[in-house]
Amino acid sequence: MKFGVIGAGQMGGGIAQVAAQSGFDVVVHDVKDEFLSRGRATIEKSLAKLHEKGRLTETPAEVLGRIKFTTDLQDFADCDLVVEAIVENEAIKAQLFRQLGEIVKPEGILASNTSSIPITSLATASGRPEKFIGMHFMNPVPLMQLVEVIRGYSTSDETAQKVTEAARAMGKTPVECNDYPGFVSNRILMPMLNEAIQCVMEGVAEPEAIDQIMKLGMNHPMGPLTLADFIGLDTCLAIMEVLHQGLGDDKYRPSPLLRKMVQAGLLGRKSGRGFYSY
Ligand code: CAA
Ligand code: NAD
């Protein structure tokens, strides 16, 4: 199977890495060579870590040898499955899927790793809605077990089955759900992170205290503010906007502090600063 990934950021890089670890030939696209180089460096670091711990049977170089990095979308023409992992913006994703719908061979499956954008709407843009699906990996992809598989309105059983098999072949556990705002994962997770940010804004406690309370009190592996920084505050804001718009209830309104931090360019770990400095 030839596996395509669009976007070489933290998610796209991780998906490409795990696909290559599983023996697939992988092609990864980003808009600039410097973004591809950054993605490649992150993959190399992760593979080295896994190798050092004995969790990789091959050498990192062997795995990397199966990944081709490109800025040319035409390289995706013969892909069997293409997973998109670019910025969480519906208009930009829809534009990309219009292009991919023209480029990728007709039997190829198109999938989005979106955190919250309607799968059905992206499926329509792709022009092949029955061969379109949500394939939602969790961050950090090399370590997390889940793939949330989201069926759009027209996703065929065959597409769902093939994507489920691909997720299993990547050593992941696929779990299916339907296409409603935030799906299951982010409909439940993101309001908690937003509420933690609201607690910072209202001065309920310092960020460190909020994180410690949730880590030690609820046995969460990361506190909510550390996790928001890890996900990216721009991505968290985009997800809250989709929940608020799609579900309507005021409980999904993004915290004004989250909005202000994104406006200030504090995006969390990826920009070097969010609730903490990196
Ligand atoms: N590749 C390879 N190795 C990695 C790695 C990666 N990408 N990331 C971390 N590691 C390594 C670390 O280097 C560390 O190695 P050492 O033991 O040699 O130091 C090891 O894995 C374990 O990491 P840590 O000791 O730092 O910490 P940990 O045991 O807490 O595990 C974690 C790390 C799995 C990330 C854990 O903190 C965790 O589960 N955090 C929550 C993650 C989570 O909630 N993810 C979902 C986010 S939401 C989402 O993804 C959906 C969305 O749409 C927003
Ligand atoms: P990121 O900012 O780390 O990476 C996005 C990458 O996409 C960048 O390298 C950017 O240059 C590239 N890109 C932007 N527009 C592009 C285009 N038109 N064509 C090709 N490449 C383009 O973001 P991320 O955290 O990897 O998130 C990517 C997607 O995955 C988003 O939809 C996000 O909601 C989703 N997601 C994120 C997480 C998370 O924890 N960060 C978890 C699950 C899903």
Side-chain angles (χ1 to χ4, degrees), residues 9-11 30 35 86 88 93 113 115 137 139 231 270:
Q10 53 178 344
M11 294 307 292
D30 211 305
F35 299 150
I86 68 170
E88 186 74 346
K93 284 190 196 287
N113 183 57
S115 297
F137 291 84
N139 190 13
I231 290 166
K270 66 179 159 189

Side-chain angles (χ1 to χ4, degrees), residues 45 53 74 163 168-169 185 192-193 215 242 266 270:
K45 215 170 125 190
K53 294 185 149 186
Q74 296 299 332
V163 163
R168 287 212 179 95
S185 55
M192 182 184 72
L193 304 195
K215 263 184 82 168
V242 169
L266 272 63
K270 66 179 159 189

Side-chain angles (χ1 to χ4, degrees), residues 144-166:
M144 301 293 284
Q145 195 58 45
L146 177 72
V147 176
E148 190 177 32
V149 174
I150 306 117
R151 280 179 182 250
Y153 187 82
S154 306
T155 304
S156 71
D157 289 343
E158 190 189 351
T159 298
Q161 194 190 330
K162 282 187 176 162
V163 163
T164 295
E165 280 165 14

Side-chain angles (χ1 to χ4, degrees), residues 46 49-50 53 115 136-140 142-144 186 189-190 221-222 227 230-231 239:
S46 174
K49 190 93 204 166
L50 295 174
K53 294 185 149 186
S115 297
H136 188 201
F137 291 84
M138 300 292 126
N139 190 13
L143 303 186
M144 301 293 284
N186 282 317
L189 173 70
M190 209 44 73
M222 285 175 169
L227 184 55
F230 182 58
I231 290 166
I239 297 168

